[in-house]
Amino acid sequence: MTTDPTGRHQPVRGEFAAFRGVLYPARAAAGRWPCVELLPAPGTPAPEGVAPRLAADGSVAGYPLPPELLDAWYTAHWTFRWRGEPFECTDRVGDTVSGSYLGSDREFAAQHLKRRITGHRGTFPLAEVTEPEEHREDLLGPRLELARRLAEADHFRPGGRAVLAGTTHRAATSTDARGLVVLDGVGAVPPEQLDAWYRTHWTFRWQDGPFDAVGTVEGRIKGVYTGGSWGFADGHQLDEETAPDGTHTRYTVEADLDSVTDLTPHRTDLLPPRH
């Protein structure tokens, strides 16, 4: 493990999460959204009380945790100055610090730095480095806010709802063989006992194309393309899937929530008219 420019024993850049006051390298837990995966360095203790996620070979891949249990989760990198010029720290080994040049003085770069494929880099004595500064980008707050938004919208899944005695329940969208409506956690009730019964679904636009929302995947909204342009589907590389009827093909997208527009709920009442 490298150390940062101030001498602390941790990487000079990366993603980190704090759990019960201990800082770990971390990453989003693939396939376990919205969890965050702690990645203890080799030889360091595993986080207490957290079950590991095992890789296919049986090794520990990480320790996933719901974000609400974390003290912090963020990305970090360091900057410093050498001879008054700005650098982003890329490494520290012993008494030297390496960095990518962030300035625009071509004469300085040509005289003191090595040319890379993109930009210039240099390695300097630690004693000559000034103004080391850590820069953080919070990841925990946005993840918690997104999880809240998705939960409030039931992850934009289409489905039925029924209101019984003032309480809303998930419900079937058609009556059963007895003419009753099945409510989750309640059972089957006659439609005339319901205050409301309706079907909901969401629509949105992505890249100005129309979609019906069908849920979320790893925190991204999933939608079925409802436009009629094969060119749109091909040009935007939509995923081709077999439709639920097992016969037709549909085109879908998984998009970040902030990349869609016109996200709109729709409601269709299912209660028969009351006379």
Side-chain angles (χ1 to χ4, degrees):
M1 178 179 288
T2 58
T3 54
D4 67 37
T6 63
R8 294 188 303 179
H9 193 59
Q10 69 175 53
V12 297
R13 65 168 73 186
E15 193 173 313
F16 307 93
F19 174 62
R20 295 178 179 171
V22 180
L23 195 64
Y24 300 89
R27 64 187 175 195
R32 299 286 296 274
W33 196 93
C35 288
V36 178
E37 200 159 56
L38 308 181
L39 306 169
T44 61
E48 185 178 353
V50 183
R53 180 176 68 87
L54 300 181
D57 62 2
S59 62
V60 174
Y63 295 83
L65 274 172
E68 59 268 20
L69 298 183
L70 298 175
D71 306 321
W73 178 36
Y74 58 90
T75 60
H77 71 278
W78 286 80
T79 58
F80 63 86
R81 287 185 178 271
W82 181 74
R83 299 190 178 182
E85 293 292 323
F87 290 84
E88 180 177 356
C89 186
T90 57
D91 199 6
R92 176 189 163 181
V93 179
D95 293 329
T96 62
V97 175
S98 300
S100 297
Y101 183 47
L102 300 177
S104 57
D105 189 330
R106 295 183 180 181
E107 183 177 345
F108 172 88
Q111 183 177 358
H112 298 289
L113 308 176
K114 292 183 179 180
R115 177 75 178 177
R116 299 299 186 188
I117 295 176
T118 57
H120 294 80
R121 297 181 185 177
T123 299
F124 319 106
L126 179 61
E128 297 179 8
V129 167
T130 61
E131 302 179 42
E133 182 179 0
E134 185 182 31
H135 306 267
R136 295 186 180 185
E137 178 185 353
D138 178 41
L139 300 176
L140 183 58
R143 175 59 61 91
L144 291 172
E145 173 63 16
L146 178 58
R148 182 191 64 79
R149 289 178 64 192
L150 296 185
E152 286 182 351
D154 193 27
H155 291 259
F156 306 104
R157 290 183 289 248
R161 298 289 186 274
V163 182
L164 177 66
T167 301
T168 302
H169 305 270
R170 288 192 179 92
T173 56
S174 60
T175 56
D176 64 12
R178 300 165 295 171
L180 304 178
V181 181
V182 178
L183 278 60
D184 285 359
V186 175
V189 300
E192 55 268 22
Q193 291 185 8
L194 300 174
D195 304 319
W197 180 33
Y198 53 92
R199 179 189 298 111
T200 61
H201 75 281
W202 294 75
T203 58
F204 65 88
R205 299 187 74 84
W206 177 79
Q207 299 295 326
D208 206 33
F211 291 83
D212 279 341
V214 293
T216 59
V217 178
E218 291 288 290
R220 298 183 298 275
I221 189 168
K222 180 174 181 178
V224 176
Y225 178 55
T226 57
S229 170
W230 182 87
F232 179 91
D234 182 61
H236 290 88
Q237 298 183 330
L238 301 186
D239 296 318
E240 187 174 338
E241 299 181 359
T242 301
D245 62 13
T247 302
H248 296 89
T249 296
R250 67 183 189 179
Y251 294 93
T252 65
V253 69
E254 295 170 11
D256 291 334
L257 199 56
D258 59 5
S259 72
V260 308
T261 61
D262 303 308
L263 186 56
T264 306
H266 303 270
R267 170 172 166 163
T268 304
D269 289 326
L270 300 175
L271 276 180
R274 292 175 177 171
H275 303 289

